[in-house]
Amino acid sequence: MCGITGWVSYDRDLTREQETLDAMTATMACRGPDARGTRVERHAALGHRRLAVIDLPGGRQPMTVETPNGPVTLVYSGETYNYVELREELTRRGERFTTASDTEVVLRAYLRWGAALADRLNGMYAFAVWDERDQKLVLVRDRLGIKPLFYQRTRDGLLFGSEPKAILAHPLAERVVDADGLRESLSYCFTPGHAIWSGMRQVEPGTVVTVDARGLREHTYWRLETRPHTDDVGTTVARVRELLDDTVRRQLVADVPRCVLLSGGLDSGTLTALSAAHLGAEPVRTFAVDFMDHAENFTSDDLRDTLDAPYVKDMAEHVGSAHADIVIGPKTLADPEVRRAVIGARDVPMTMGDIDFSLYLLFKEIRERSTVALSGESADEVFGGYKHMHVPQIQQARAFPWIALNIGAFDKDGTGVRPELWSKLALEEFRAQEYADAVRGVERLAPGDGPGGFDGFDGFDGFGGPDGFAAEDDFEYRMRVMVHLHLTRFMRYLLDRKDRLSMALGLEVRVPFCDHRLVEYVYNAPWALKTYDGREKSLLRGAVRDLLPESVAWRPKSAYPSTQDPYYAEELQRQAKELLADPRHDVFALMDRQWLREATGREAAGVDRLTRLGLERTLDLATWLDVHRPVLQLP
């Protein structure tokens, strides 16, 4: 895993701009602590920071192949999990390799197939190729958006980077956040391609962006497509198991220490059990996060019915993992320097509060012992695991489900935001339009596309059969929309969050549930099949139940833990009071000073969820303004 950046200019001689490239590259040092490299041509400058994971001595970048018509140079971030097969195919076609790295496989695949190489890759990746032969830059991002890639057009070319901070280090990039960026930050719509910063964009998942002297062109090489699902339940469950087994096997490949993030749930239990099976005599390493005195402070809520710890213990003992609990105290969790580090890593105005901070601290501890971690992220989006997906009111709501729900870390009403700013941003209208645009892109299975005849089921054996399912009825289509919105919006937000917080510490987190083959297959399984046992994530449970202890296999969905320690709320109030003591702070152009006074005057025990979210938002925005120094252009 690495960090990449670069600059293409058709009117300048960039061989004179090494200092600027060095400054851009330096911002990616956290993503790549092991090595640094740059390459400058007349019209292209490329920078790379490396986290060495595969072929430690041989994967240095930028990597260049000299051709008779000019050099071709690659800067690459990510992992290609099918690089061994691609290498064999390329060797048969006459390519000769000088390293054992997947980076060289990607570069030689480009030489053989051009930008069409993206269709052949299985992995998580974001990379740039400067092709001197045609004086063009090719940017490629993986299908699900696991690895980030940003760009900003200039008068005569383009700037790009793994993170906005690489682009913002360039003197041509202005640190402007306008009304559109604030609207995106406060709406929780997670608009594809949006980057918050004015003039900046993300390369969308499954997309190739090509830049040459004629301008910029985009090509979508992959998207979620609606297809008939003809497999019965037994066949579907078997196929899910086959795909998961192959995916975990591929994603365990590394020349550095590996581990699994264990929460005691079905998702992480699946990865732990499959990893243990593949590693054989080598014990699988597992890590879990917990809070000091969490058992004493815990009460169930809308998202969390149970503590993680008992289920983590069951799973670790079941596979005999080398397990460690990372226990975080309230003072550490509330430390302003942790918030500052998270805001600096994510480049966004707001975090998910203590959920982000504990994840960052977990990764920090893991990095002392491992370089690669497997995470159960995205299983809920793929298999239909979120509780709100099974609530009739949310299923029928004409709104993004995580907004309609209005629980957890998202507050749709903007508690604490200045009322006049909230009104001028017209967020309700914005959300309605974004939702309409998102739903418009979800293809319905048309009559005749799928086989007919479904008469119900009885466990595994009475479901489907040779006739399979009828074409989608209204409810099945609503649930297709539900899953599609999560996969193309909500999941991308969570993937970006996980990438930034882990890579800020030089930890590579892999997400097996984002294997595009698995996503394509399960996406088209009807909702009735996804819930065939009357529970969430039926297909996943059916595929791996034999590998898990009963307690983990049947544990109800429980969200990532959030602290309930009263000290944390007290500390939020104390820090907010310090902010109130600085009446000239720019945050009060965004947040309501009177609301903050009232929120800090309450007893800590009376700080409810929305008040706590408002306090978190205020402190986040203040920290973001201090760290990133944006120029705000308010409506």
Side-chain angles (χ1 to χ4, degrees):
M1 199 65 63
C2 307
I4 66 173
T5 190
W7 177 15
V8 171
S9 172
Y10 291 100
D11 292 345
R12 298 194 192 203
D13 180 357
L14 296 187
T15 59
R16 303 175 181 177
E17 302 287 351
Q18 183 69 49
E19 185 176 349
T20 298
L21 178 62
D22 288 345
M24 297 171 71
T25 305
T27 66
M28 296 291 94
C30 58
R31 296 184 71 91
D34 296 329
R36 171 196 173 279
T38 61
R39 183 179 176 95
V40 181
E41 306 283 357
R42 181 175 179 82
H43 295 305
L46 305 179
H48 187 267
R49 294 290 312 211
R50 186 184 185 208
L51 174 65
V53 173
I54 293 176
D55 187 13
L56 306 191
R60 296 185 180 277
Q61 299 182 51
M63 185 175 286
T64 301
V65 171
E66 299 288 344
T67 79
N69 297 315
V72 178
T73 300
L74 169 71
V75 283
Y76 168 81
S77 172
E79 304 293 343
T80 298
Y81 301 125
N82 64 333
Y83 80 98
V84 173
E85 297 97 310
L86 286 174
R87 181 188 177 100
E88 292 172 352
E89 180 179 355
L90 289 164
T91 300
R92 289 194 301 270
R93 291 172 177 263
E95 297 290 340
R96 295 293 176 263
F97 291 84
T98 60
T99 76
S101 69
D102 61 338
T103 302
E104 187 179 6
V105 171
V106 172
L107 178 54
R108 294 194 178 276
Y110 174 82
L111 292 173
R112 176 65 55 173
W113 297 303
L117 92 158
D119 295 316
R120 299 171 180 263
L121 301 180
N122 177 321
M124 56 177 190
Y125 47 83
F127 60 87
V129 177
W130 173 252
D131 193 333
E132 186 76 10
R133 301 170 301 180
D134 299 318
Q135 295 286 293
K136 70 179 181 184
L137 178 75
V138 179
L139 302 174
V140 182
R141 192 174 181 198
D142 66 65
R143 294 170 179 84
L144 277 302
I146 306 167
K147 292 288 103 184
L149 185 56
F150 295 80
Y151 69 91
Q152 182 166 325
R153 301 181 73 168
T154 63
R155 180 185 58 81
D156 66 331
L158 180 129
L159 308 170
F160 71 88
S162 292
E163 300 181 7
K165 59 178 64 71
I167 296 171
L168 294 172
H170 194 287
L172 290 177
E174 297 181 350
R175 291 176 172 266
V176 172
V177 175
D178 57 18
D180 188 46
L182 290 173
R183 192 176 292 114
E184 179 65 25
S185 299
L186 290 166
S187 70
Y188 305 119
C189 290
F190 313 127
T191 306
H194 208 294
I196 307 296
W197 300 91
S198 181
M200 196 181 298
R201 298 283 297 168
Q202 294 190 53
V203 176
E204 291 194 36
T207 299
V208 175
V209 173
T210 303
V211 180
D212 58 23
R214 296 172 294 171
L216 181 148
R217 298 176 301 283
E218 293 187 29
H219 166 67
T220 300
Y221 70 89
W222 184 89
R223 61 167 56 90
L224 276 176
E225 294 182 348
T226 296
R227 301 169 183 165
H229 184 88
T230 59
D231 292 341
D232 65 13
V233 65
T235 305
T236 303
V237 165
R239 178 60 176 157
V240 168
R241 173 67 168 265
E242 178 185 9
L243 288 169
L244 284 170
D245 190 66
D246 181 67
T247 299
V248 171
R249 175 184 62 81
R250 292 175 183 275
Q251 297 197 22
L252 284 170
V253 174
D255 296 331
V256 292
R258 304 149 296 184
C259 68
V260 179
L261 307 180
L262 180 58
S263 69
L266 177 60
D267 314 335
S268 65
T270 295
L271 300 185
T272 300
L274 289 172
S275 296
H278 283 293
L279 292 175
E282 176 188 346
V284 59
R285 298 184 183 190
T286 55
F287 293 90
V289 68
D290 202 356
F291 302 115
M292 191 179 297
D293 300 323
H294 194 39
E296 290 78 4
N297 293 318
F298 179 80
T299 56
S300 62
D301 59 24
D302 292 327
L303 296 177
R304 303 164 188 88
D305 294 325
T306 56
L307 288 164
D308 285 351
Y311 302 92
V312 168
K313 182 174 181 291
D314 287 353
M315 191 67 224
E317 290 179 350
H318 185 72
V319 300
S321 70
H323 180 72
D325 289 316
I326 307 302
V327 180
I328 301 171
K331 291 184 179 180
T332 303
L333 194 63
D335 187 341
E337 288 305 310
V338 174
R339 185 183 302 272
R340 190 176 184 89
V342 168
I343 290 282
R346 294 196 59 190
D347 295 324
V348 294
M350 290 175 293
T351 70
M352 294 180 74
D354 71 293
I355 294 174
D356 275 8
F357 308 150
S358 65
L359 188 64
Y360 175 84
L361 293 166
L362 171 66
F363 289 159
K364 187 175 182 179
E365 288 295 322
I366 290 174
R367 186 60 179 90
E368 298 296 320
R369 298 169 243 186
S370 289
T371 308
V372 171
L374 269 61
S375 166
E377 191 78 84
S378 304
D380 289 309
E381 289 83 358
V382 174
F383 288 98
Y386 289 117
K387 287 184 176 181
H388 61 257
M389 289 177 159
H390 304 266
V391 176
Q393 300 94 307
I394 303 300
Q395 291 172 342
Q396 298 302 323
R398 296 308 192 254
F400 292 113
W402 50 92
I403 297 175
L405 190 68
N406 201 31
I407 64 174
F410 300 120
D411 165 24
K412 71 181 182 70
D413 297 320
T415 302
V417 177
R418 292 182 63 187
E420 60 269 33
L421 174 61
W422 187 264
S423 177
K424 288 179 181 179
L425 290 174
L427 286 170
E428 290 308 314
E429 294 86 345
F430 176 73
R431 286 169 175 160
Q433 185 59 56
E434 279 295 313
Y435 177 77
D437 291 344
V439 172
R440 194 175 299 117
V442 185
E443 182 185 3
R444 185 169 186 163
L445 191 65
D449 286 350
F454 167 53
D455 298 320
F457 59 88
D458 179 16
F460 279 90
D461 300 323
F463 188 54
D467 291 329
F469 285 93
E472 281 178 332
D473 60 22
D474 289 346
F475 176 73
E476 280 288 348
Y477 177 62
R478 285 295 308 157
M479 298 316 297
R480 181 183 292 278
V481 168
M482 171 84 76
V483 173
H484 192 281
L485 294 176
H486 279 84
L487 289 171
T488 58
R489 296 219 176 200
F490 192 63
M491 187 174 81
R492 293 178 186 177
Y493 171 80
L494 295 180
L495 288 172
D496 183 78
R497 162 183 174 260
K498 184 149 286 184
D499 172 87
R500 303 294 199 87
L501 296 181
S502 60
M503 292 305 295
L505 299 159
L507 176 69
E508 175 175 303
V509 175
R510 299 177 179 180
V511 281
F513 289 109
C514 284
D515 183 281
H516 72 276
R517 302 167 301 165
L518 179 69
V519 172
E520 289 172 345
Y521 185 73
V522 178
Y523 172 67
N524 281 297
W527 188 252
L529 185 50
K530 289 185 174 80
T531 57
Y532 73 83
D533 66 1
R535 292 280 303 275
E536 77 286 349
K537 291 189 281 198
S538 303
L539 289 176
L540 178 57
R541 185 178 300 102
V544 299
R545 193 170 62 188
D546 63 306
L547 300 175
L548 306 175
E550 286 292 296
S551 61
V552 173
W554 294 102
R555 183 190 180 190
K557 167 64 184 174
S558 187
Y560 182 91
S562 176
T563 184
Q564 296 175 343
D565 193 312
Y567 176 88
Y568 185 77
E570 292 173 7
E571 186 61 15
L572 292 180
Q573 290 178 303
R574 188 192 67 77
Q575 293 172 25
K577 286 178 182 177
E578 290 182 355
L579 198 57
L580 283 167
D582 181 6
R584 300 175 62 86
H585 199 289
D586 290 342
V587 75
F588 295 113
L590 305 171
M591 301 300 292
D592 189 314
R593 191 190 309 270
Q594 183 56 38
W595 177 89
L596 193 61
R597 287 196 187 100
E598 294 172 359
T600 56
R602 300 175 186 173
E603 291 292 329
V607 173
D608 59 15
R609 181 186 70 88
L610 291 179
T611 302
R612 176 164 147 174
L613 288 177
L615 291 168
E616 296 272 26
R617 177 182 288 117
T618 304
L619 295 172
D620 281 349
L621 284 167
T623 304
W624 175 68
L625 290 166
D626 292 342
V627 170
H628 291 290
R629 309 306 304 172
V631 176
L632 296 179
Q633 294 182 351
L634 302 180

